Amino acid sequence: MVEDMDFYRPNTISEAVELASDKEVTFFAGGTDLMVHYYEQLDDLGDIVDLTAIAELDGIRQENDLLHIGAGTTHQTIVNSDLLAADLPWLVQSAKEVGSPQIRNRGTIGGNIGNASPAADTVPALIVSDATIELVSVDQKREESLSDIFVSPGKTTIARDELITDIKIPVVSDNAAGSFQKIGKRNALAIAVINCAVFVKIDCEEDNFKEVRICLGSVAPVPYKAVAAENFLVGKEINLDNITEAAKIVQEQIDPIDDIRGTAEYRDDVAEVIVKRAICDALEQLEVEL
Amino acid sequence: MSKVPITLTVNNREYSFDVEPDLRLVDLLREKLGLMGTKEGCGEGECGACTVIMDGNTVHSCMVLAAQSDGSEVLTIEGLGSADNLHPLQEAFIEHGAVQCGFCTPGMILSAKNLLDKNPSPTEEEIKEGISGNICRCTGYSKIIAAIKAVANKGGAS
């Protein structure tokens, strides 16, 4: 028990950020990451600001060419969303593979981002979807590209008094698709040994890749953008040889570590496999024959 | 630490408490309400033994702060049936040999109930996914799945 800890349960974003402006707080939503080490880090948490009563943080909607996901939206709400199933099935897949039904019922997409684990599942899917996040504090509202915010495991560029409020994703065009792959020690309740999201936009007439985005988790201190492989594929003909080569480039470029979930060698080998699998899956959705 | 006043409904009865900010829902249920059916297996959201149904959804009660349950409705295993009046899932678990040590059972049954409430006719894959947040060290799951299937086939889980 910490002597000075207080608990607040605001109903609006502005109340929440007001609290954060003059106190050291921890924004607490589903608690599925925060509670794991809760008792060990009680002294560092400051006051708890519970976000689960803030209705405006919850919800998925489309406005013109942007999809908006409230940061307080649970993974299960994302899994249940018809709108996202149609437009971002790889994001839905990533949310579906988080934890367990119980964890998905409480854990939020904002929390998955803010916790900044390199093994986060929704993050690679969001990065390849070109997601930006909105950050609100008492003084300002700003936006950052999601791929820019991760500094090191558990650390982001988000200030302590800033609240993630909204995740914005451009609506996907017809000739584009994505895929999410996760490898874990179990089919559920597993933190990724390695995961991968890809997004490809193709030119059907030219039969080549117009845009390629590849992001892997658990191979680097932060979600890893496989830029060299992406650049290799752009403009190349859509065939298995090129996809295989791109996957090889990823394997050569990454420098994973040994940790409690897996070895560097395993991650190296499997990265090549899942990148290839993900690209092929995305192309299959576009009904491209390889 | 200022206490937080909360009011919640547990198994259809309303309770009011002043709770410490760091009290977990699992501790509120077990220690303040004496409802020992909800177990703590890991305290980390990794095993599901602490599963309860909160506002219509299963949650790991070791990951919910009691203070966050203000205004909520919680169902624990004790709210599901009694020795004289077993819930169909409880009956099926007994009939199918789906209970060995019993430690996972309360959480497992609540996950099964939540699954069937949302999806009355699940496939075997859907059943497995529905209980994927509950670890059992004894049974190897097949009898549990059979018990859930039996209840689904009989068309009754509420």
Side-chain angles (χ1 to χ4, degrees), chain B residues 7-27:
Chain B
T7 300
L8 72 160
T9 304
V10 181
N11 301 334
N12 283 316
R13 285 176 69 180
E14 199 177 88
Y15 298 91
S16 290
F17 294 102
D18 289 323
V19 296
E20 247 85 14
D22 66 346
L23 185 76
R24 303 170 307 172
L25 179 60
V26 62
D27 300 317

Side-chain angles (χ1 to χ4, degrees), chain A residues 7 23 35-36 50 59 81 115-116 120 153-154 174 189 215 248 255 275:
Chain A
F7 177 94
K23 301 177 209 310
M35 287 306 283
V36 177
D50 176 14
S81 163
N115 187 55
D174 281 335
L189 284 173
C215 183
K248 187 106 192 83
D255 191 21
V275 166

